[in-house]
Amino acid sequence: MPVSRPARDRCREFLGAGDGIRYLFPASARGGGAGFFFVVTDDQISVLSTGGLGREKPKSVWGTYPRESRIGPVDPDDGVFEFDGSYFELDDQYVPVLNAADAEAFHPELLPRDPLPDL
């Protein structure tokens, strides 16, 4: 299930003017606890914390990283990945989003061609 429109809009509030969301996915601290949104723009990766109770409302910026930061890889057995020394869990449905974000930054030749490049 994609990230809801209200959650996307709340994430945009933490971005700079003109920053568009290229990739967005939710994650949680490994073992439960706090929720997070990973927001990838052209220039940076913002990790937004939702706190321990709600999962749809980002409350603060946990960290901001250069776009050249690798987010994955994700362990296929349990959906866990390490980012900046912390471990996060990811639902299976968002693994392709994380992989696409990394592929775009590090292996753009692996991405499918845009079928409508003139739009």
Side-chain angles (χ1 to χ4, degrees), residues 65-79:
Y65 305 87
R67 178 61 183 102
E68 296 79 25
S69 302
R70 186 176 301 278
I71 304 170
V74 178
D75 184 325
D77 294 329
D78 58 10

Side-chain angles (χ1 to χ4, degrees), residues 50-68:
T50 66
L53 299 176
R55 300 278 185 207
E56 286 289 311
K57 294 182 181 180
K59 293 183 170 80
S60 64
V61 177
W62 186 74
T64 303
Y65 305 87
R67 178 61 183 102
E68 296 79 25

Side-chain angles (χ1 to χ4, degrees), residues 65-95:
Y65 305 87
R67 178 61 183 102
E68 296 79 25
S69 302
R70 186 176 301 278
I71 304 170
V74 178
D75 184 325
D77 294 329
D78 58 10
V80 171
F81 65 98
E82 179 185 1
F83 184 74
D84 193 38
S86 296
Y87 289 88
F88 299 89
E89 295 177 347
L90 185 67
D91 287 341
D92 290 346
Q93 64 184 337
Y94 295 107
V95 171

Side-chain angles (χ1 to χ4, degrees), residues 3 9 12 17 25 36 49 54 70 73 84 99 103 108 113 115 117 119:
V3 174
D9 290 343
R12 273 192 191 89
F25 60 89
F36 297 89
S49 174
R70 186 176 301 278
D84 193 38
N99 289 339
R113 289 186 333 202
L119 292 181

Side-chain angles (χ1 to χ4, degrees), residues 11-33:
C11 288
R12 273 192 191 89
E13 294 173 8
F14 290 90
L15 302 178
D19 283 342
I21 296 174
R22 297 199 49 82
Y23 299 95
L24 171 64
F25 60 89
S28 60
R30 184 178 187 184

